[in-house]
Amino acid sequence: AVMLVGADRQRQAGQWVAGADWYCVAAQVEPQSAAPYWQPGLVYRSAGQPREAIEALLKAVSLAPDNIPIRHTLGITYLQQGQAAAAAAQFDIILAADPNEFYTNLYIVSAELQIGQLDNAEKHARKAIAISPPHPRTHAGGCGKPRTGSSPPPCRAARSAAWGHRPDGKRASP
């Protein structure tokens, strides 16, 4: 636990490499804990090292397969790297455990649109709209979360899919 606190302090101070080193030591001390792998996944993602982030997050998921936040982070990282099928697989696992998880329903819409699963994207978009929290940024397209990467904003993708718009800009048949 002391190693994780030291790593978190380094990460929060913007010292990504030093933080990652602390996490490596923590992983040696607590090899069955997912935290020493999940946190470096966040560090690597923030530092622009997606391959290392995915590797660390996969190890964390293997140690804590029921941990929704780790899977969500892995799915978003896959989505940001254009690996929509892998992202959708992670989001499907989350939604099997909690079909009303709002942000996962939004992100899976982006993944499904990218891999051409338009019917599923529309289904998840309608679900997300139905369960959307009463937050003003949600309806303005911001979703209350900062967005990085090249994937479309999930709220815009959800609205487009729910209204029957395809990624090519044409209207889907009813």
Side-chain angles (χ1 to χ4, degrees):
V2 171
M3 296 296 169
L4 291 175
V5 170
D8 284 338
R9 285 187 181 149
Q10 294 291 329
R11 181 176 56 87
Q12 290 168 358
Q15 298 174 352
W16 305 108
V17 175
D21 290 343
W22 278 80
Y23 289 120
C24 289
V25 172
Q28 293 172 0
V29 173
E30 300 178 49
Q32 298 306 313
S33 172
Y37 300 99
W38 180 23
Q39 295 301 324
L42 295 172
V43 169
Y44 289 131
R45 194 175 92 180
S46 296
Q49 298 176 313
R51 186 179 54 229
E52 292 84 354
I54 289 171
E55 184 179 311
L57 292 167
L58 284 170
K59 178 66 176 176
V61 164
S62 74
L63 292 169
D66 297 330
N67 187 308
I68 300 294
I70 294 174
R71 278 199 188 277
H72 198 260
T73 303
L74 178 59
I76 291 170
T77 306
Y78 276 137
L79 193 59
Q80 290 172 339
Q81 293 307 305
Q83 298 180 40
Q90 294 302 315
F91 298 143
D92 277 333
I93 293 168
I94 295 168
L95 292 174
D98 182 3
N100 292 320
E101 210 295 307
F102 175 67
Y103 290 108
T104 303
N105 273 288
L106 286 178
Y107 280 109
I108 199 168
V109 169
S110 292
E112 289 168 339
L113 287 173
Q114 289 179 37
I115 58 178
Q117 294 182 350
L118 304 182
D119 290 340
N120 284 343
E122 182 177 357
K123 177 186 83 171
H124 287 111
R126 290 185 185 282
K127 177 73 170 184
I129 290 168
I131 62 174
S132 69
H135 189 282
R137 286 192 60 185
T138 300
H139 300 290
C143 297
K145 284 187 164 184
R147 188 176 76 82
T148 59
S150 61
S151 59
C155 289
R156 183 171 23 140
R159 283 194 307 270
S160 293
W163 293 334
H165 294 275
R166 299 187 330 205
D168 59 10
K170 297 179 182 174
R171 183 114 169 107
S173 59

